[in-house]
Amino acid sequence: MSLRLISSGLEVVLPAGADPALASVFVREHHDWIAEAVKRNRARLEPVLCRPLFPEELQLRATGETFRLRVTAATGKSSLSVNRSELCVAVAGTGSDAAVTMLLGWLKRKGHAFLVPRCRELAERHGLEPAAVRIAVPGRRWGSCSARGTVMLNARLLFLPPALCDAVIYHELAHLVFLDHSKKFWRYLVQLQPDAVTHDTALKEAGRYLPGWAAMR
């Protein structure tokens, strides 16, 4: 069993087949740890919790694009449309889930158009060749690289400054050579991007660039 503090609360992970009642017992037994974790992470979590869900402006720093965001009630079906630099989301019914789903879908499409070519460009520059480049919107990681050489990039990278976006791409490309995080991996990564260590530290706070609807939980 394990505990993890996330922006929306406390996550309890139980082994498959475990009695769900054990979760409350586990939480009570780790009350002190939870209190310390909340205190330690308050500065990181509060900006996320206080962030507006749908800000008026979206900055895709990696691409240099800015979009005005309008979320309105729909008279018919929910829909999303783009008119130049304006992103219009019309939501049928109440609640924000439909709007978030459509916005993540739009972000994924934007990510495919920009991040895939960017990844292949950086890979070619250093003689690397991923088996495939996939774009997704996972909630817990910026990217990954499988043993088969498939690189996955989080579409949320579009909100990050170009140097941090590239840092994640370089990190995953380095895994094509070293699949672990050994000293050899870090030496190789620094060869690819000399500021890799500095960027890796900055990425720990990169969630601040995300709008509320795209926050990584």
Side-chain angles (χ1 to χ4, degrees):
M1 292 186 287
S2 65
L3 297 172
R4 196 166 74 95
L5 197 64
I6 58 178
S7 59
S8 56
L10 182 70
E11 182 179 74
V12 184
V13 179
L14 301 176
D19 184 351
L22 291 174
S24 58
V25 176
F26 193 60
V27 168
R28 286 197 299 272
E29 290 177 346
H30 292 81
H31 176 272
D32 292 342
W33 179 90
I34 295 169
E36 277 299 314
V38 169
K39 182 179 178 181
R40 187 171 59 249
N41 289 280
R42 190 178 301 279
R44 178 178 63 85
L45 293 174
E46 282 185 349
V48 175
L49 296 174
C50 297
R51 195 176 305 170
L53 185 61
F54 302 115
E56 294 182 357
E57 187 177 90
L58 300 178
Q59 285 186 285
L60 302 187
R61 295 170 181 82
T63 66
E65 296 174 285
T66 299
F67 293 85
R68 286 190 60 80
L69 175 62
R70 287 200 308 118
V71 180
T72 60
T75 54
K77 294 182 178 180
S78 297
S79 63
L80 181 149
S81 60
V82 183
N83 181 16
R84 296 184 180 179
S85 60
E86 186 172 62
L87 191 59
C88 302
V89 180
V91 185
T94 59
S96 59
D97 289 353
V100 171
T101 298
M102 287 189 290
L103 284 167
L104 288 175
W106 166 79
L107 189 67
K108 187 176 178 180
R109 292 190 293 275
K110 293 285 291 183
H112 193 274
F114 176 80
L115 294 172
V116 172
R118 182 59 176 167
C119 182
R120 295 208 176 275
E121 176 189 350
L122 296 181
E124 185 177 354
R125 187 180 299 178
H126 296 279
L128 299 170
E129 188 175 356
V133 182
R134 188 168 63 87
I135 305 301
V137 284
R140 298 182 184 177
R141 57 175 62 184
W142 292 113
S144 65
C145 180
S146 73
R148 293 184 177 182
T150 296
V151 171
M152 184 282 292
L153 298 173
N154 194 324
R156 293 176 178 86
L157 289 171
L158 296 178
F159 289 111
L160 273 52
L164 293 187
C165 178
D166 281 355
V168 173
I169 296 175
Y170 275 124
H171 186 107
E172 304 312 332
L173 289 176
H175 280 312
L176 296 173
V177 181
F178 299 100
L179 203 54
D180 55 15
H181 287 105
S182 62
K183 291 182 179 179
K184 289 182 179 180
F185 166 84
W186 284 104
R187 282 197 295 267
Y188 180 67
L189 180 55
V190 169
Q191 290 177 19
L192 298 180
Q193 190 182 41
D195 293 330
V197 176
T198 300
H199 292 325
D200 185 68
T201 300
L203 281 167
K204 292 178 173 60
E205 303 296 330
R208 64 191 176 92
Y209 294 110
L210 305 181
W213 59 266
M216 295 172 72
R217 307 298 181 184

